[in-house]
């Protein structure tokens, strides 16, 4: 990193609160993991962050995602078809010697991974159920329970979550997708931030669609 870059960019290393618990995770540049967050086999994209007490497992998260406090991504399911739905049948090692974790049930959970696109906002206390895909730019309202896929740029809320409206008209959303600003170099992103703050979305697109990387 040369001197000019040092004047603009901060350290890109992920920030992890000392009380957070991570296992087999991959974190992108500038990612931030808050207090008492628990992540298991989660990929977190550049600039995405988890607020306090959130949890996720078997999930891929894009860039610039905002995960609010107390949210739960890929909430645990139980084998309700068995004699007992209690974890004694799939984690018997917690109670008995010589009995290991049920590998088949673990593989079943891993097969129902959650996929979250770029620039997604997951509201406070929201729950994302197994196997759900959330598109770019979507918003999940506070305390929502998402049981089905969420289209790009949709706003959903409720239990179960239902669409409220789209953030943008279809043509604007298509232009944002084409711009793919989440893949910009940090230097270009820094130049664009003042326009993000000041320009209406169409004016921003008009300007930056013609800006050379």
């Amino acid at each position: 990193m040369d001197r000019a870059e040092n004047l603009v960019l901060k350290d890109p290393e992920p920030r992890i609160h000392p009380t957070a618990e991570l296992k087999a995770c991959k974190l992108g540049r500038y990612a931030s993991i808050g207090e008492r967050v628990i992540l298991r086999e989660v990929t977190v994209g550049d600039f995405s962050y988890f607020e306090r007490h959130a949890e996720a497992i078997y999930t891929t998260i894009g860039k610039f995602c905002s995960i609010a406090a107390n949210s739960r991504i890929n909430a645990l399911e139980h084998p309700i078809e068995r004699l007992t739905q209690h974890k004694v049948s799939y984690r018997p090692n917690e109670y008995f010697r010589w009995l290991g974790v049920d590998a088949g049930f673990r593989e079943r959970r891993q097969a129902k991974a959650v996929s979250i696109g770029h620039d997604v906002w997951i509201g406070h206390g929201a729950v994302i159920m197994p196997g759900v895909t959330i598109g770019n730019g979507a918003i999940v309202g506070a305390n929502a329970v998402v049981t089905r896929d969420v289209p790009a740029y949709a706003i959903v809320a409720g239990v179960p979550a239902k669409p409220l409206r789209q953030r943008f008209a279809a043509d604007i959303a298509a232009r944002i997708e084409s711009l793919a600003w989440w893949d910009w170099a940090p230097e270009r992103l820094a130049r664009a931030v003042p326009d993000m703050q000041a320009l209406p979305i169409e004016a921003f697109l008009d300007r930056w669609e013609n800006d050379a990387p």
Side-chain angles (χ1 to χ4, degrees):
M1 185 179 292
D2 62 27
R3 184 174 183 277
E5 289 176 323
N6 273 326
L7 295 175
V8 176
L9 305 180
K10 292 190 173 183
D11 185 353
E13 285 297 308
R15 293 173 293 172
I16 304 172
H17 194 279
T19 62
E21 299 179 22
L22 281 67
K23 180 179 180 182
C25 294
K26 181 179 179 180
L27 306 182
R29 298 173 302 170
Y30 302 99
S32 178
I33 310 300
E35 180 183 356
R36 299 191 184 282
V37 168
I38 300 175
L39 303 180
R40 299 286 187 269
E41 296 187 34
V42 175
T43 297
V44 182
D46 296 350
F47 293 90
S48 291
Y49 63 89
F50 277 81
E51 294 287 6
R52 63 197 180 281
H53 303 285
E55 296 186 29
I57 189 170
Y58 310 138
T59 299
T60 299
I61 297 168
K63 302 174 183 178
F64 296 92
C65 289
S66 308
I67 315 297
N70 299 312
S71 55
R72 181 71 186 268
I73 301 175
N74 205 343
L76 179 65
E77 65 175 354
H78 291 253
I80 61 174
E81 75 282 358
R82 295 182 179 180
L83 171 69
T84 177
Q85 56 197 338
H86 189 276
K87 65 180 178 179
V88 69
S89 79
Y90 57 90
R91 291 182 191 165
N93 57 303
E94 295 186 16
Y95 307 99
F96 308 113
R97 296 185 179 89
W98 324 123
L99 292 176
V101 171
D102 183 341
F105 183 70
R106 185 171 185 268
E107 291 171 0
R108 170 173 141 183
R109 290 278 293 128
Q110 290 173 320
K112 295 182 179 180
V114 167
S115 178
I116 297 175
H118 306 298
D119 191 35
V120 173
W121 175 17
I122 306 295
H124 185 102
V127 177
I128 314 300
M129 298 303 289
V132 166
T133 295
I134 299 178
N136 294 336
I139 297 173
V140 175
N143 297 312
V145 177
V146 181
T147 59
R148 297 182 179 182
D149 292 352
V150 178
Y153 302 98
I155 301 174
V156 302
V159 181
K162 296 181 180 179
L164 300 181
R165 64 179 178 87
Q166 293 293 117
R167 286 180 60 199
F168 303 110
D171 61 323
I172 296 297
R175 291 173 68 184
I176 296 171
E177 289 287 295
S178 180
L179 193 65
W181 62 268
W182 41 78
D183 290 329
W184 289 358
E187 298 85 355
R188 189 183 187 199
L189 184 66
R191 288 194 294 115
V193 166
D195 284 345
M196 291 181 184
Q197 296 169 341
L199 296 180
I201 184 63
E202 290 186 65
F204 180 91
L205 293 168
D206 290 341
R207 178 168 183 178
W208 286 88
E209 283 168 339
N210 299 311
D211 179 83

